[in-house]
Amino acid sequence: MARSALLNVMVQAALKAGKSLGRDFGEVQNLQVSVKGPGDFVSAADRKAEKIVREELMKARPTYGFLGEESEEIKGTDGAHRWIVDPLDGTTNFLHGIPAFAVSIALERNGEIVAAVVFNPATDELYTAERGGGAFLNDRRLRVAARRVLSDCVVGCGVPALGKRNHGKFLVELRHVMGEVAGIRRLGSPTLDLAHVAAGRFDGFWEAELAPWDMAAGILLIREAGGFATDWDGGTAILEGGAIVAGNEHIHKALIEVIKRPIPAK
């Protein structure tokens, strides 16, 4: 597959940060860990990975803005371009030795995601996409799954962590979806959940209360793999609203209908 110069910059930044994370993952018990909030841990590895990514990207495009999970936003002088980065999505997995975590980098141009890279160092899986150029896992072209009926589907989701709101609302959504699908999976990394939809491993995905860096790269991966990724009203204000539902044309529509069913009256 041919990559643009910008995508090559993103890939190299993700691989370099991933190499650092891979070393620290092997020494996970010795990491210095600080508490950022209930159930939300930030490791020294996380901060180091973001520093690596930021330096690599800003060296290549110093005028672009930068939005990352672990540092203050840099507005940039360009005005049209912004990097959206999660240096370690799946921090809790990482700290517990679970090999489901990723470096996520997206490039936004005039409010639209135009390039994406997701790298899981534990499995050496590199997902890439550019607008109009398709989505790839390593060098294999991706397509979303073709199933058309929810009862045949495995669907991913996120579970609100300790300290998050709307636990009760999620349990209602979960009950509704459980009654319609073949299975539900929760990886603990929305970035990888969305990449799995793009790869056809999951038929769909839904989650709310996400940050832009949790979704930006995955949105483009899914769309370039022939899928749909929208907010829960079928609109495009995903990064602003923090809620996403994804799948192929049929499963995306069916999931929206199920997760938006009213809560039964007592």
Side-chain angles (χ1 to χ4, degrees):
M1 58 166 288
R3 294 174 181 155
S4 69
L6 270 177
L7 189 62
N8 277 326
V9 167
M10 296 166 68
V11 167
Q12 292 308 309
L15 293 178
K16 188 172 182 179
K19 185 176 181 180
S20 175
L21 289 174
R23 288 193 298 265
D24 287 331
F25 187 61
E27 301 292 335
V28 68
Q29 298 300 324
N30 299 322
L31 289 176
Q32 299 176 9
V33 180
S34 61
V35 178
K36 187 170 71 173
D40 189 3
F41 300 100
V42 178
S43 68
D46 198 338
R47 295 189 296 270
K48 182 167 58 176
E50 179 163 310
K51 183 174 184 292
I52 290 169
V53 172
R54 185 175 65 249
E55 288 178 351
E56 290 293 309
L57 296 179
M58 300 306 284
K59 179 172 61 178
R61 295 292 189 274
T63 63
Y64 286 12
F66 184 94
L67 176 65
E69 183 179 13
E70 300 306 326
S71 59
E72 291 187 7
E73 182 175 2
I74 299 170
K75 291 296 185 181
T77 59
D78 177 279
H81 294 87
R82 179 173 68 160
W83 303 111
I84 303 176
V85 173
D86 193 340
L88 176 52
D89 186 56
T91 307
T92 302
N93 285 347
F94 184 88
L95 293 175
H96 285 77
I98 301 169
F101 58 89
V103 182
S104 174
I105 304 173
L107 176 61
E108 183 183 58
R109 177 180 297 138
N110 295 319
E112 298 288 335
I113 306 301
V114 297
V117 173
V118 172
F119 179 52
N120 182 350
T123 60
D124 204 32
E125 290 187 320
L126 176 70
Y127 297 85
T128 57
E130 290 187 271
R131 189 169 64 181
F136 296 83
L137 170 51
N138 296 331
D139 291 323
R140 178 173 64 85
R141 184 74 177 257
L142 297 181
R143 295 295 297 177
V144 294
R147 296 177 186 88
R148 300 165 67 102
V149 181
L150 276 178
S151 58
D152 295 332
C153 292
V154 170
V155 173
C157 71
V159 178
L162 179 66
K164 293 281 188 177
R165 303 171 298 165
N166 295 326
H167 284 222
K169 182 175 180 295
F170 168 75
L171 289 175
V172 173
E173 296 161 12
L174 182 63
R175 185 169 75 231
H176 288 162
V177 177
M178 283 172 60
E180 301 285 347
V181 302
I184 295 177
R185 301 291 183 267
R186 195 261 186 171
L187 291 182
S189 167
T191 293
L192 290 180
D193 284 318
L194 295 171
H196 282 358
V197 175
R201 295 170 175 172
F202 288 174
D203 298 281
F205 176 78
W206 92 97
E207 188 169 0
E209 296 191 66
L210 292 173
W213 46 79
D214 295 320
M215 302 179 287
I219 290 169
L220 187 65
L221 287 172
I222 290 169
R223 290 175 177 169
E224 288 298 320
F228 289 72
T230 70
D231 62 26
W232 288 16
D233 294 317
T236 60
I238 310 173
L239 300 186
E240 298 85 351
I244 188 169
V245 57
N248 67 28
E249 180 181 5
H250 306 282
I251 300 308
H252 169 262
K253 181 180 178 181
L255 262 182
I256 288 179
E257 292 176 357
V258 173
I259 63 178
K260 292 184 69 176
R261 283 179 187 166
I263 299 173
K266 293 183 178 180

